[in-house]
Amino acid sequence: TVIKSEDGCTELSGSQIKMTDAAGTKRAVLGNNKKNGKFYFTIYDGEGNPAISLDNDGNAVFTGIVSGAQITSGSTINVGTDAVIGKNLILRDEKLSDDGAKISIYQGTSPMLSIQGLGNRPIDISTGGTITLSGNRVEDKNGKRFLTEADLADL
């Protein structure tokens, strides 16, 4: 049995609700996929292409931009393209593990740069190449200078 709204834009058929716009383009579907038994919710763009898809396993696929005041994850976030960080990249090691917070940059499977440290533990910086300091000195937070030209004279 199929039940349609007066304007024909909403249809209920079995375990599925389908909505179209006035031109007949599919805009939203909510229901049960009879092939795999999973429930899903999909919103379509103006051309009828999937824009947002959610399933009963908690999987979500967005074809546009996802934005929010705060987006959190309790697991790894995999990015298949460039990741652009706005103002700050903040790493927190809530469990205070031995490794501390870590930033690693890879080229393929080879680590190119690793920065590691937490709290008052020293920060370790390692690289698969050369580290070039663009300033003319390296200091601690109290202004004590390290790596003067005299330190580098015999290298």
Side-chain angles (χ1 to χ4, degrees):
T1 302
V2 176
I3 301 170
K4 287 190 174 189
S5 62
E6 279 185 33
D7 62 4
C9 291
T10 304
E11 179 181 294
L12 174 63
S13 175
S15 62
Q16 187 178 75
I17 300 171
K18 179 181 173 184
M19 300 174 89
T20 59
D21 60 22
T25 304
K26 182 170 38 175
R27 298 309 297 266
V29 178
L30 169 69
N32 180 274
N33 182 331
K34 293 179 182 176
K35 293 178 184 175
N36 63 19
K38 293 185 178 187
F39 282 85
Y40 63 94
F41 177 52
T42 304
I43 296 176
Y44 297 84
D45 66 16
E47 281 94 48
N49 301 309
I52 301 171
S53 298
L54 308 170
D55 70 20
N56 60 256
D57 291 329
N59 298 309
V61 177
F62 297 83
T63 59
I65 295 171
V66 177
S67 62
Q70 182 174 344
I71 300 172
T72 61
S73 172
S75 63
T76 301
I77 298 174
N78 294 308
V79 179
T81 184
D82 293 343
V84 179
I85 308 296
K87 186 176 177 184
N88 298 305
L89 173 62
I90 300 170
L91 302 174
R92 290 192 177 100
D93 186 0
E94 295 175 4
K95 297 178 184 175
L96 299 176
S97 69
D98 291 337
D99 290 343
K102 186 174 187 177
I103 299 172
S104 296
I105 300 172
Y106 286 81
Q107 181 176 13
T109 58
S110 301
M112 296 306 294
L113 176 67
S114 178
I115 303 171
Q116 181 174 322
L118 181 68
N120 47 2
R121 281 188 254 169
I123 294 176
D124 296 321
I125 301 174
S126 59
T127 179
T130 302
I131 296 176
T132 303
L133 301 174
S134 59
N136 60 4
R137 64 179 175 237
V138 177
E139 297 178 345
D140 68 10
K141 66 181 179 179
N142 298 315
K144 181 180 176 188
R145 189 169 176 174
F146 298 98
L147 295 177
T148 64
E149 287 186 29
D151 296 328
L152 303 174
D154 294 328
L155 295 180

